[in-house]
Amino acid sequence: MRHVALHALADGLAPAEVYRRISDFGRYPEYSDTFREVRVEPPQPDGSTVSDWTVEFRGGLMRWRERDTYSPQTHTITFEQLSGDFQTFEGGWRCEARDGGTLIVFTASFDLGIPSLAEILDPVAESTVRTNIARILKGLVDAEVIDECAAAARG
């Protein structure tokens, strides 16, 4: 399982505003050509949504369906793949007040489910995730990445 964490700072914006913008997944294709399509279904009775994603990866397309769970009180979002091209894909977003702006923390864990190619594909997928999240944050809230962490773990 591969783990990615990215920290970014949005100067001058409150956590509630950053959270609101990040929650608007349908706008992600506006900020990165890699996101071909993001369709978000109407909210479920519990407030969660189901979204369908199509993203370019290594000359092809990756598709998945995920459940997104929102917590406006804590400015957090969690997601988990329901079906799709990953064997496992889950993570979340957190927005918290920091230095007159908002610290944004994105985390994800994934497994492409191809053990024989993991050493080749996992680092590429990890880099793609980091690059695209940085572009989204720049476009949505003019945030700058302040720290990137990536770790490979078996388990």
Side-chain angles (χ1 to χ4, degrees):
M1 181 88 76
R2 198 78 154 184
H3 305 281
V4 178
L6 184 140
H7 299 83
L9 190 60
D11 287 325
L13 290 175
E17 177 61 18
V18 173
Y19 171 83
R20 183 187 68 75
R21 293 184 195 184
I22 288 172
S23 299
D24 191 0
F25 298 133
R27 291 194 63 201
Y28 284 26
E30 295 175 32
Y31 299 105
S32 176
D33 292 342
T34 302
F35 289 88
R36 285 287 188 86
E37 182 179 29
V38 180
R39 290 184 303 117
V40 181
E41 295 180 359
Q44 303 289 313
D46 66 359
S48 68
T49 59
V50 173
S51 52
D52 295 299
W53 299 70
T54 303
V55 177
E56 289 182 15
F57 179 68
R58 291 191 54 88
L61 297 176
M62 289 193 76
R63 293 181 174 90
W64 69 93
R65 184 173 182 82
E66 69 183 41
R67 177 172 310 284
D68 306 300
T69 304
Y70 307 91
S71 181
Q73 304 83 2
T74 60
H75 305 119
T76 59
I77 305 165
T78 58
F79 63 88
E80 68 175 318
Q81 177 184 274
L82 299 173
S83 62
D85 292 335
F86 291 95
Q87 181 171 330
T88 304
F89 186 47
E90 60 191 16
W93 297 88
R94 184 176 79 241
C95 303
E96 58 187 57
R98 178 77 48 92
D99 300 328
T102 297
L103 173 68
I104 305 151
V105 179
F106 171 83
T107 58
S109 297
F110 67 89
D111 183 346
L112 294 173
I114 310 170
S116 62
L117 296 177
E119 293 298 318
I120 297 168
L121 292 180
D122 285 0
V124 174
E126 178 184 299
S127 176
T128 301
V129 168
R130 283 194 323 255
T131 299
N132 285 311
I133 295 302
R135 286 181 184 152
I136 295 302
L137 291 174
K138 182 68 175 168
L140 287 173
V141 295
D142 197 28
E144 295 293 333
V145 172
I146 58 173
D147 181 38
E148 294 184 52
C149 306
R154 305 277 182 224

